[in-house]
Amino acid sequence: NFGHTIGHAIEGLASPQMLHGECVSIGCVLEATLARDLGHLAPSAVGRILRVMKAYALPVECPPKYLVLPKLMKKMAVDKKNAAGVIRCTILTGIGSCFEHPQPVDKAVFEQLLSPQLLVRPMSVKADATVHVPGSKSISNRVLLMAAMGEGEITISGLLQSDDTQVMISALSAMGAGPFHWDESGRFLTLRGLGGRFQVPKEPMYLGNAGTAARFLTTCATLILSPGSSSV
């Protein structure tokens, strides 16, 4: 049922223009975000789910014409998992794990999650909380490169999961580093360093818009020993 509470509501407005699986894909991303906002799911797991959906060319955002909050809430109000007039939703606790039963979620929480825009007001009382800040993209890519140039098995924690860091991981893997392995929680990445002994990639590497990867990997290419050739 993961992704179906919101996915079915979107499908009720978007069908037949959107397929069931496309609506559930959007629902999975939004419900993963919900689990993160409720403090049950690591932010890195949300990033992994988002990238998996994108990798299969599935939509990850609700088209604006279907993002009509009153209509979406009305659809969710009749979901089969609901009980006693309360919307119940599958809440993830990790990749492949969730609460045993759908959890009750306040309507206001769904409205905040699905609203196209929010008005943020200053707090009337002093905040007393702990904020877990995502890793820096720039630092994450630097750490990945340092790990690939190191020796032996290396574990990295706090790494940002984003398109640019994934580009760096793919490029380093193509140059012989790795294998790269995320633990089940998505918090730790393990790899085996090359000690600077990079290899010639079998195919051209696409770095997208990852400026850090483009700059650093250009330099790393000069470390490659390619017998019988003056270019890499």
Side-chain angles (χ1 to χ4, degrees), residues 128-168:
D128 182 13
T130 300
V131 178
H132 297 281
V133 181
S136 159
K137 178 180 67 176
S138 179
I139 294 176
S140 292
N141 270 349
R142 285 168 166 82
V143 169
L144 283 168
L145 181 57
M146 291 170 64
M149 295 185 70
E151 295 276 4
E153 187 172 277
I154 299 165
T155 300
I156 306 171
S157 64
L159 195 74
L160 177 68
Q161 294 202 31
S162 68
D163 291 342
D164 282 10
T165 52
Q166 186 57 49
V167 161
M168 178 66 96

Side-chain angles (χ1 to χ4, degrees), residues 182-211:
W182 288 100
D183 77 325
E184 291 186 1
S185 71
R187 292 186 173 92
F188 300 95
L189 177 70
T190 302
L191 69 145
R192 181 164 292 278
L194 284 172
R197 297 179 293 275
F198 291 110
Q199 303 168 10
V200 180
K202 294 180 180 180
E203 298 178 356
M205 297 187 299
Y206 175 68
L207 301 181
N209 294 317

Side-chain angles (χ1 to χ4, degrees), residues 3-232:
H4 283 66
T5 299
I6 297 176
H8 275 157
I10 296 172
E11 185 180 9
L13 301 181
S15 180
Q17 283 72 32
M18 294 186 69
L19 300 174
H20 171 75
E22 293 175 323
C23 297
V24 171
S25 171
I26 299 170
C28 287
V29 173
L30 287 170
E31 290 181 22
T33 303
L34 172 65
R36 179 203 65 191
D37 293 348
L38 294 175
H40 301 301
L41 185 65
S44 58
V46 180
R48 292 177 69 188
I49 292 170
L50 181 70
R51 286 194 299 279
V52 165
M53 299 306 181
K54 284 184 175 180
Y56 285 93
L58 289 167
V60 294
E61 295 180 353
C62 182
K65 62 181 177 180
Y66 304 127
L67 195 57
V68 183
L69 193 56
K71 292 183 178 180
L72 288 173
M73 295 304 299
K74 186 176 180 179
K75 294 289 185 183
M76 283 193 288
V78 295
D79 188 87
K80 65 180 181 181
K81 299 185 294 298
N82 296 351
V86 177
I87 299 175
R88 295 163 62 87
C89 181
T90 299
I91 302 296
L92 294 189
T93 55
I95 299 294
S97 62
C98 65
F99 285 94
E100 184 176 357
H101 301 289
Q103 298 296 297
V105 179
D106 192 89
K107 291 181 180 179
V109 175
F110 276 114
E111 289 173 345
Q112 179 174 319
L113 177 70
L114 296 171
S115 293
Q117 59 185 13
L118 296 171
L119 176 63
V120 180
R121 300 183 184 277
M123 295 181 64
S124 58
V125 296
K126 184 178 180 180
D128 182 13
T130 300
V131 178
H132 297 281
V133 181
S136 159
K137 178 180 67 176
S138 179
I139 294 176
S140 292
N141 270 349
R142 285 168 166 82
V143 169
L144 283 168
L145 181 57
M146 291 170 64
M149 295 185 70
E151 295 276 4
E153 187 172 277
I154 299 165
T155 300
I156 306 171
S157 64
L159 195 74
L160 177 68
Q161 294 202 31
S162 68
D163 291 342
D164 282 10
T165 52
Q166 186 57 49
V167 161
M168 178 66 96
I169 290 172
S170 298
L172 291 172
S173 179
M175 294 171 72
F180 293 82
H181 175 72
W182 288 100
D183 77 325
E184 291 186 1
S185 71
R187 292 186 173 92
F188 300 95
L189 177 70
T190 302
L191 69 145
R192 181 164 292 278
L194 284 172
R197 297 179 293 275
F198 291 110
Q199 303 168 10
V200 180
K202 294 180 180 180
E203 298 178 356
M205 297 187 299
Y206 175 68
L207 301 181
N209 294 317
T212 308
R215 293 195 303 274
F216 292 164
L217 291 177
T218 299
T219 303
C220 288
T222 66
L223 300 176
I224 298 177
L225 299 177
S226 182
S229 174
S230 60
S231 64
V232 175

